[in-house]
Amino acid sequence: MSTYGIDLGTTYSCIARLDSNGNPEVIRNNEDDSNTVASVVFFENENNVVVGQAAKENVETDGDRVVQFVKREIGKRDSRVYEFDGKTYTPVEISALILTRLKNLVEAQGGTIEDVVITVPAYFGLEERSATKQAGELAGLNVLSLINEPTAAALSYCARQFQEDRTILVYDLGGGTFDVTVVKMSMAQNASGNDVQKITVLATGGDDRLGGKDWDDRLYNHILHACCDDNGLTPEEIEAETRQDIRSKVEEAKRKLSKKQSAKVRIDVNGSRTEITVTRKDFENMTSDIVAKAMNFVDATLEKVPAEAIDTVLLVGGSTYMPMIKNAVEAKFPGKVQQHDPDQAVAKGAAIYASMLVEEVGGVSSEGGETSGDETAHAEQLTSKFTVEDQTPRSFGPGVVDTTGAKHKYVLENFIKIGEKMPAVFTKTYYPLEDNQERVLLRAFENRSTDDTLIPCVDEDGNPQATDPAHYVKLLGELVVNLPPNTSRDTPIKVTFKVDASGVHVEAVNTKTNETFETFLRTESDIDVERSAVHQLRISSD
Ligand code: ADP
Ligand code: MG
């Protein structure tokens, strides 16, 4: 049994493994004659749920029964629950259906699959990561680990050519998201003293609402207006069926324009056939502002790492097949642009990483008879050359009371800042708010700010509070720290946060009694304790 890497994408997903020569290969989706599977689920009826291109073809005609872009919802608080034929489906369950389809691709070709690595965007917080893992488990997969998409893309690039000390900007323009990540590849020594290639994430940026769909929308509007002009109609006079016809032809036309200078689209406009020709030039003119917008996100990310430091720009994501993207990036980074299998690189990198992990833990999946000694040796050769060092996707810290001012303030102290090397550890000593306090409700928050202190999203009583949405402050959970009777307010309580790829570990030690309380936070825990403002820690000892 071999291990697999899965790119669970917003619009398209892909699965890969290492072939008998230790090179990454994608498992073909023969049904759709494609290397990828559309991340679209169609709930046709009680007995039939369709995933992939066939599901996508129902978006226009039966849109109410189709679920798309579920990755935008996974792990989000208040994410919607879908209902079809009397059954409900959470985003995790929908994602599990997509993963099951990928699993079936392997099984249909006679393979067996269990151990996998699934990729996630670098900006995913803890809950999104944990929900992704859950989806994998629900699909009957053993999720060895998650890996950030740009890191996977860089791994796949490294597998092609080894170069020492290179800083790579991964430009990932997919169907609905745009991710900019700067990774550094350098040589380091692993625990056994061997030279390995180390991949470190230096900066992340982008927009989770910018992607190929924006280009589709522009082309849709262009064709709609051309249909109006040709038939002397106003957009309001265009029938719903015609709009559907345009919608379903837009993506194909866009792909054609990546290869050819023009594309013909035939539309049935309110019953009469109309042929529209779109040239690549037209298409580029009508979307030049989106290309520029994407470039602004690159510039913003480069505020953290100087442009001169970038050695290579790696184009990833299906939308980078559009020549206008490559041209724009080339203009900014002349001679530095690389593009290899942009819609498969992430899955391939994940497959490499999956093999690395199996090797690390001593061959978890080696009991299967399918892997030959040769194959293993090759995979080992490839994978023993890398080590991955990721950065924290968010900032993390506890909510505590600042008693220094005239009025008590409940604040979030950011222990670990976004972008720190993982595992990241931070410890600070606090004190009970009052004498004889029975317990402390130590709340852990995540956010996207790099400020030392913030106002969190709940007050010290645990009531939700308005907060600056730009910082995405999210309550992850609470650690209940019980204090013995007669605890004085000058008892030092040592609080430690440790963040690694699997989650946040929170620990509190009562230094008078040496009692330790700890919890591992992945999602908000439901804690049923009486809430009170006094159940808090304060910052200073006076
Ligand atoms: P995801 O966003 O799910 O990670 P991908 O990286 O596979 O997905 O990108 C999907 C997007 O790429 C879609 O918008 C699709 O239309 C677009 N795309 C794929 N191939 C081409 C192509 N040849 N030309 C233009 N766009 C393409
Ligand atoms: Mg992607």
Side-chain angles (χ1 to χ4, degrees):
M1 194 193 298
S2 43
T3 49
Y4 289 81
I6 295 179
D7 169 7
L8 180 61
T10 312
T11 57
Y12 288 90
S13 297
C14 185
I15 180 163
R17 51 164 275 169
L18 298 191
D19 69 11
S20 53
N21 295 317
N23 293 318
E25 68 172 0
V26 156
I27 313 300
R28 284 282 295 175
N29 169 8
N30 292 327
E31 197 176 304
D32 299 335
D33 191 24
S34 168
N35 287 316
T36 55
V37 170
S39 307
V40 184
V41 184
F42 174 44
F43 292 85
E44 187 172 22
N45 57 48
E46 219 174 321
N47 304 315
N48 200 27
V49 177
V50 180
V51 182
Q53 195 54 36
K56 203 169 174 183
E57 267 145 32
N58 291 282
V59 168
E60 300 304 324
T61 48
D62 217 349
D64 291 351
R65 290 191 151 260
V66 175
V67 181
Q68 302 188 82
F69 309 116
V70 73
K71 188 170 173 177
R72 287 182 172 164
E73 316 241 351
I74 200 161
K76 298 271 184 308
R77 290 282 155 78
D78 318 316
S79 64
R80 59 177 292 197
V81 171
Y82 300 86
E83 194 182 333
F84 302 101
D85 305 308
K87 270 194 235 157
T88 57
Y89 299 85
T90 61
V92 168
E93 288 165 328
I94 307 244
S95 304
L97 292 170
I98 300 167
L99 290 167
T100 303
R101 173 77 205 282
L102 296 171
K103 188 178 165 207
N104 291 342
L105 291 186
V106 174
E107 289 166 349
Q109 290 167 33
T112 43
I113 167 168
E114 198 177 318
D115 296 333
V116 299
V117 164
I118 304 178
T119 65
V120 289
Y123 59 80
F124 256 22
L126 223 50
E127 285 174 301
E128 291 94 324
R129 283 166 199 263
S130 133
T132 303
K133 201 161 180 226
Q134 258 177 38
E137 282 154 10
L138 210 56
L141 299 167
N142 175 34
V143 185
L144 295 175
S145 179
L146 304 173
I147 181 174
N148 286 342
E149 285 158 12
T151 308
L155 257 181
S156 148
Y157 174 69
C158 296
R160 285 174 179 272
Q161 52 195 117
F162 290 103
Q163 274 150 336
E164 268 185 53
D165 281 349
R166 287 191 86 72
T167 303
I168 303 176
L169 185 142
V170 181
Y171 179 109
D172 181 355
L173 187 61
T177 54
F178 177 46
D179 300 319
V180 185
T181 318
V182 181
V183 298
K184 187 178 168 65
M185 287 157 51
S186 52
M187 293 309 284
Q189 286 200 331
N190 67 9
S192 4
N194 298 324
D195 280 345
V196 290
Q197 184 106 34
K198 191 166 92 176
I199 303 179
T200 314
V201 177
L202 298 182
T204 61
D207 186 358
D208 60 1
R209 298 276 153 167
L210 177 71
K213 193 179 176 298
D214 295 291
W215 275 263
D216 296 346
D217 289 348
R218 289 289 168 88
L219 197 52
Y220 169 87
N221 279 321
H222 174 82
I223 295 173
L224 182 76
H225 283 97
C227 287
C228 289
D229 293 349
D230 282 15
N231 292 277
L233 299 166
T234 63
E236 293 70 37
E237 288 168 325
I238 299 282
E239 290 167 0
E241 290 73 23
T242 303
R243 289 172 183 273
Q244 284 172 8
D245 195 23
I246 301 173
R247 188 52 87 184
S248 45
K249 287 173 179 159
V250 154
E251 195 182 340
E252 195 191 322
K254 176 184 75 171
R255 289 181 193 239
K256 205 177 267 173
L257 288 170
S258 293
K259 284 209 192 97
K260 302 201 160 130
Q261 289 299 332
S262 74
K264 277 197 183 82
V265 188
R266 289 181 192 88
I267 308 287
D268 212 5
V269 182
N270 300 3
S272 81
R273 198 130 177 100
T274 302
E275 191 174 276
I276 314 279
T277 301
V278 186
T279 65
R280 187 186 284 175
K281 196 99 214 95
D282 293 338
F283 186 43
E284 293 184 349
N285 286 338
M286 70 182 88
T287 53
S288 59
D289 61 310
I290 332 175
V291 179
K293 187 177 169 190
M295 205 50 92
N296 288 338
F297 284 105
V298 173
D299 290 337
T301 310
L302 288 175
E303 280 172 16
K304 299 168 213 162
V305 181
E308 313 79 72
I310 307 293
D311 300 306
T312 303
V313 179
L314 199 55
L315 295 183
V316 180
S319 297
T320 64
Y321 278 119
M322 292 188 289
M324 66 179 100
I325 297 297
K326 196 167 181 186
N327 294 341
V329 181
E330 266 288 349
K332 190 170 173 70
F333 300 95
K336 293 184 176 175
V337 180
Q338 293 279 335
Q339 185 182 38
H340 308 280
D341 315 325
D343 51 352
Q344 304 162 38
V346 169
K348 287 180 173 176
I352 296 173
Y353 189 56
S355 308
M356 280 166 64
L357 291 176
V358 167
E359 195 191 325
E360 241 172 56
V361 298
V364 210
S365 61
S366 57
E367 84 274 14
E370 186 191 315
T371 308
S372 72
D374 255 15
E375 185 180 335
T376 313
H378 258 107
E380 268 170 25
Q381 232 173 39
L382 179 64
T383 56
S384 59
K385 287 178 179 151
F386 303 108
T387 159
V388 175
E389 197 171 82
D390 258 339
Q391 56 169 197
T392 53
R394 292 281 191 279
S395 300
F396 299 94
V400 289
V401 181
D402 181 355
T403 54
T404 50
K407 205 166 163 259
H408 284 188
K409 255 195 327 196
Y410 187 64
V411 298
L412 190 177
E413 290 213 305
N414 262 338
F415 272 17
I416 290 162
K417 305 267 177 68
I418 189 165
E420 274 180 39
K421 196 173 105 177
M422 288 198 291
V425 187
F426 191 91
T427 300
K428 186 168 174 179
T429 300
Y430 296 104
Y431 304 85
L433 194 59
E434 296 185 348
D435 283 332
N436 305 319
Q437 193 171 311
E438 288 167 23
R439 68 174 77 95
V440 170
L441 297 183
L442 182 62
R443 297 202 183 89
F445 294 91
E446 73 168 29
N447 63 91
R448 292 196 202 177
S449 167
T450 47
D451 295 345
D452 291 334
T453 55
L454 284 176
I455 303 297
C457 53
V458 293
D459 64 18
E460 55 196 283
D461 295 324
N463 300 316
Q465 235 187 7
T467 180
D468 179 357
H471 293 141
Y472 297 90
V473 177
K474 204 190 238 179
L475 177 64
L476 289 174
E478 280 172 335
L479 173 65
V480 182
V481 181
N482 290 313
L483 302 175
N486 308 319
T487 299
S488 81
R489 72 188 293 276
D490 59 10
T491 307
I493 310 285
K494 212 166 83 183
V495 176
T496 302
F497 272 50
K498 181 177 174 211
V499 179
D500 62 25
S502 55
V504 178
H505 183 251
V506 179
E507 185 190 84
V509 181
N510 179 338
T511 57
K512 283 255 165 77
T513 61
N514 260 336
E515 241 186 312
T516 301
F517 300 82
E518 57 188 337
T519 184
F520 184 70
L521 299 171
R522 281 200 271 203
T523 56
E524 186 180 15
S525 35
D526 290 320
I527 296 176
D528 195 14
V529 206
E530 190 200 334
R531 290 171 190 281
S532 155
V534 294
H535 293 147
Q536 297 302 332
L537 290 175
R538 63 197 172 91
I539 294 174
S540 62
S541 60
D542 32 65

